[in-house]
Amino acid sequence: MAKKFDLGDYLRTDEMSRINTGTEQIVYIDLDRIDPDPSNFYSLDGIDELAGNIELIGLQQPLRGRPIEGLADGYRIISGHRRFAAVTQLIEQGSQRFADGIPCIIDSAAASDALRELQLILGNADNRRLTAADELQQTERISDCLRRLEDEGYQFPGRHRDWVSKLSGLSRSKIGRLDAIKRNLSPGLYRDLFLTGEIGETVAYALSQQNLTEQLRIVELFQKNG
């Protein structure tokens, strides 16, 4: 039987962690027992500044993780990859602030890979300032998770783009612009510049409205003029 996917139920279900219920407990876990999630695609920028803040005032928000299947006492990060990188840097520099371990909230419930990845995305997106390239990757991953969950039997009433908008916090028009950039921006030319932040969303979208021949002509003009 198909399962209707409701965002409120998603946050309450035993398949995912319960958020802000007051029942969660913080535990302290040694650094070598924690692994970043290989699915995390968010950039780890500003680590030096974050490490300095943590050294000065402490870690204000614990990491969130889950047990690694088949690995006793091992945990994988759900949210807090930048905090983990900053704490790792402090420990490598000789800080004793985390001698008793890193504060973590552990989600013990099992979940499908698609639900875990969706939790990773939602748990990290609100903790950082995203570039347009980050937003593009985020919407692609959310869309993929939704389709995989549909294959698992979940139902998403309404339009697919509406759910991507709801879960990403981006407007449908914004998602439409990002999709146009993804589909139409010339790979190996402007797309690389967009992904590295050398051209912004406005320019990337304007270029994506031109055909490939026109995009190549614009490149030649730039090269001709240095």
Side-chain angles (χ1 to χ4, degrees):
M1 181 177 178
K3 297 167 282 186
K4 183 178 178 180
F5 189 94
D6 178 83
L7 185 57
D9 290 340
Y10 159 79
L11 294 176
R12 293 189 295 270
T13 180
D14 288 339
E15 288 184 308
M16 305 297 285
S17 63
R18 299 175 64 188
I19 297 178
N20 295 328
T21 62
T23 62
E24 296 174 324
Q25 293 184 344
I26 296 176
V27 294
Y28 289 79
I29 301 176
D30 292 338
L31 181 75
D32 57 6
R33 293 167 55 196
I34 304 174
D35 288 334
D37 193 316
S39 298
N40 180 56
F41 61 89
Y42 295 105
S43 61
L44 300 180
D45 56 344
I47 298 302
D48 290 343
E49 180 181 0
L50 180 58
N53 291 339
I54 293 174
E55 179 69 5
L56 180 64
I57 63 175
L59 188 63
Q60 300 300 295
Q61 183 179 2
L63 308 184
R64 183 178 289 273
R66 58 177 172 81
I68 299 176
E69 294 181 8
L71 182 61
D73 297 326
Y75 300 92
R76 179 146 290 145
I77 299 173
I78 294 172
S79 64
H81 287 80
R82 289 182 67 250
R83 280 166 276 153
F84 176 76
V87 168
T88 300
Q89 178 173 299
L90 289 173
I91 292 175
E92 291 174 348
Q93 293 173 350
S95 173
Q96 297 299 309
R97 180 180 282 275
F98 299 96
D100 295 328
I102 303 174
C104 301
I105 294 172
I106 301 301
D107 295 342
S108 58
S112 72
D113 288 343
L115 280 173
R116 285 173 177 169
E117 185 169 352
L118 193 57
Q119 185 184 31
L120 168 73
I121 294 169
L122 298 184
N124 285 274
D126 291 338
N127 295 328
R128 65 192 69 227
R129 182 176 180 179
L130 302 182
T131 65
D134 288 334
E135 291 173 335
L136 173 58
Q137 293 185 74
Q138 177 178 280
T139 56
E140 288 178 331
R141 296 284 286 274
I142 290 175
S143 178
D144 178 64
C145 285
L146 294 179
R147 298 195 187 283
R148 286 155 57 195
L149 287 170
E150 287 177 330
D151 291 340
E152 294 176 15
Y154 284 89
Q155 289 183 335
F156 298 90
R159 298 177 58 188
H160 182 83
R161 182 173 290 185
D162 290 341
W163 278 95
V164 176
S165 174
K166 180 185 296 187
L167 293 172
S168 67
L170 302 177
S171 68
R172 286 179 295 176
S173 60
K174 170 89 166 184
I175 292 171
R177 290 195 301 273
L178 293 174
D179 187 57
I181 291 170
K182 171 190 172 183
R183 289 185 290 104
N184 301 326
L185 198 61
S186 174
L189 293 173
Y190 298 113
R191 188 176 300 173
D192 290 345
L193 296 177
F194 173 70
L195 293 176
T196 57
E198 295 177 68
I199 60 174
E201 178 189 343
T202 301
V203 172
Y205 178 69
L207 289 166
S208 74
Q209 302 305 291
Q210 310 300 317
N211 60 41
L212 181 58
T213 300
E214 184 65 14
Q215 291 186 43
L216 291 171
R217 189 184 72 83
I218 294 172
V219 169
E220 293 173 354
L221 286 174
F222 274 113
Q223 292 174 338
K224 181 179 179 180
N225 291 281

